Amino acid sequence: MFSDSPFNDGSNHESFMRAALREAEAALEEGEVPVGAVIVHKGRVIGRGHNQRETLQDPTAHAEMIAITQAAASLENWRLEGCRLYVTLEPCSMCSGAVVLSRIPEVIYGAADPRAGACGSVLNLVQNEKFNHRAIVVPSILAEECSAILGEFFRRRRKDDR
């Protein structure tokens, strides 16, 4: 299911995932589900985002979607070839579809999403042979830290609901 990266360059997966975690922390501060994403091109962050569904009242305002929009604007191209998506939570089907359509060649995520993950947990859209583009998936980078921030959010939410 998961392949070796063609970017086998001793990449800084952990440092870029930490940048995504900073985005997740921003979401947490805003009362959003704390998911963060960054898109890297040639070793530089060109797109970043965190969940803003509640803030924008937009069901598509996922961290990945915002980061993809910024990256496309940065490159002035909707084709994000040569980019990596770092995201703290395994992308859902909408975001995985955007990965395929934007031709991002590699997805690196932290925490798996056993309820909605579309990079291998529930289904695997980004590696579906029927699509003309497939992405390499690198799971579990800083998974404990990525899971911890989500756990903190849901603990707070349950406490507030009492």
Side-chain angles (χ1 to χ4, degrees), residues 28-83:
L28 182 65
E29 290 173 15
E30 295 171 13
E32 298 277 356
V33 175
V35 177
V38 297
I39 295 182
V40 176
H41 182 257
K42 296 183 179 178
R44 186 173 64 89
V45 174
I46 61 165
R48 61 181 67 242
H50 58 272
N51 275 1
Q52 296 184 55
R53 292 187 312 171
E54 297 298 331
T55 302
L56 299 176
Q57 289 300 296
D58 179 354
T60 68
H62 288 204
E64 301 95 321
M65 301 297 282
I66 294 165
I68 287 169
T69 298
Q70 284 186 10
S74 174
L75 293 178
E76 297 180 343
N77 196 333
W78 63 267
R79 292 174 190 88
L80 299 181
E81 296 164 338
C83 293

Side-chain angles (χ1 to χ4, degrees), residues 17-38 49-51 63 87-89 145-146 149-150 153:
M17 188 61 75
R18 288 193 193 290
L21 275 163
R22 285 190 292 278
E23 289 295 320
E25 289 165 2
L28 182 65
E29 290 173 15
E30 295 171 13
E32 298 277 356
V33 175
V35 177
V38 297
H50 58 272
N51 275 1
V87 60
T88 58
L89 181 65
E145 292 176 51
C146 294
I149 193 169
L150 287 160
F153 172 80

Side-chain angles (χ1 to χ4, degrees), residues 2-21:
F2 305 115
S3 305
D4 288 330
S5 170
F7 301 101
N8 245 341
D9 56 7
S11 66
N12 297 319
H13 286 330
E14 288 189 7
S15 70
F16 288 122
M17 188 61 75
R18 288 193 193 290
L21 275 163

